[in-house]
Amino acid sequence: MAPNGFALFATAIGACGIAWGPGGIVGVQLPEGGEDATRARMRRRFPNWPEQDAPADVVPAIEGIRGLLAGAALDLAEIVLDLEGVSDFHRRVYEIARRIPPGRTRTYGDIAAELGDKGLARAVGQALGLNPFAPVVPCHRVLAAGGRWGGFSAHGGAAAKLRMLAIEGARPDSESGDLF
């Protein structure tokens, strides 16, 4: 992987950002309401890293993210993430979330139960709220109990989450928020 840097790239939902380093992808940024806002967010997240063209080994990650956000059923599992500095608990949550197929959802409680303690649902939500790799770690596929939408820390909040789920073919029930 190339030395540290970041780039913006166009997707079906707006300009996204991606940052890389020698150990893999260190961050992905969903659109922030315009290219300038996305660039500003990337500069805050990676203040000493140059904006530059993505190197050849990062291009497949960009193409995968573009495809996913355009409706391709991609799991992005081949994208190598640099998890240095990510706590063990968050790593485990992200590993489970990465196994959720496009168009499918799980709940925070499901992930907590897989971790061995259903009482960790709130901690799972917090971990996903701090996810630096959306949509490679597809936190938008994780819902609150009963299929309620729950929060989403990306620009646009729950509306952005629902838009991404709709792109993947998951359909919200307009009365309850349940997905089926």
Side-chain angles (χ1 to χ4, degrees):
M1 190 74 48
N4 298 348
F6 78 88
L8 299 186
F9 59 98
T11 73
I13 66 169
C16 288
I18 190 166
W20 60 86
I25 302 302
V26 297
V28 181
Q29 182 63 51
L30 290 169
E32 281 288 308
E35 187 173 315
D36 290 340
T38 302
R39 179 175 286 109
R41 173 64 72 102
M42 291 299 287
R43 287 190 173 140
R44 283 192 305 275
R45 287 179 67 187
F46 307 100
N48 299 316
W49 294 17
E51 182 177 356
Q52 57 194 353
D53 291 338
D57 55 351
V58 174
V59 171
I62 291 172
E63 292 305 318
I65 294 166
R66 276 186 178 138
L68 177 73
L69 296 176
L74 302 172
D75 66 10
L76 307 179
E78 73 284 353
I79 297 176
V80 176
L81 301 177
D82 181 344
L83 296 168
E84 186 175 329
V86 175
S87 75
D88 181 58
F89 179 77
H90 287 204
R91 285 177 193 225
R92 292 176 19 224
V93 169
Y94 298 164
E95 288 168 9
I96 294 168
R98 286 188 85 181
R99 294 194 312 260
I100 305 169
R104 303 290 306 271
T105 61
R106 292 187 71 185
T107 67
Y108 301 113
D110 291 339
I111 293 175
E114 187 170 332
L115 291 167
D117 183 351
K118 191 106 170 145
L120 293 173
R122 185 176 306 266
V124 167
Q126 291 169 343
L128 292 171
L130 296 172
N131 173 16
F133 305 108
V136 178
V137 172
C139 51
H140 62 283
R141 295 180 191 148
V142 184
L143 306 174
R148 291 185 315 273
W149 305 330
F152 194 53
S153 60
H155 179 77
K161 182 177 198 169
L162 291 174
R163 180 177 182 197
M164 292 174 68
L165 288 169
I167 287 168
E168 293 184 2
R171 299 284 180 231
D173 173 340
S174 60
E175 296 283 327
S176 68
D178 290 346
L179 292 175
F180 47 87

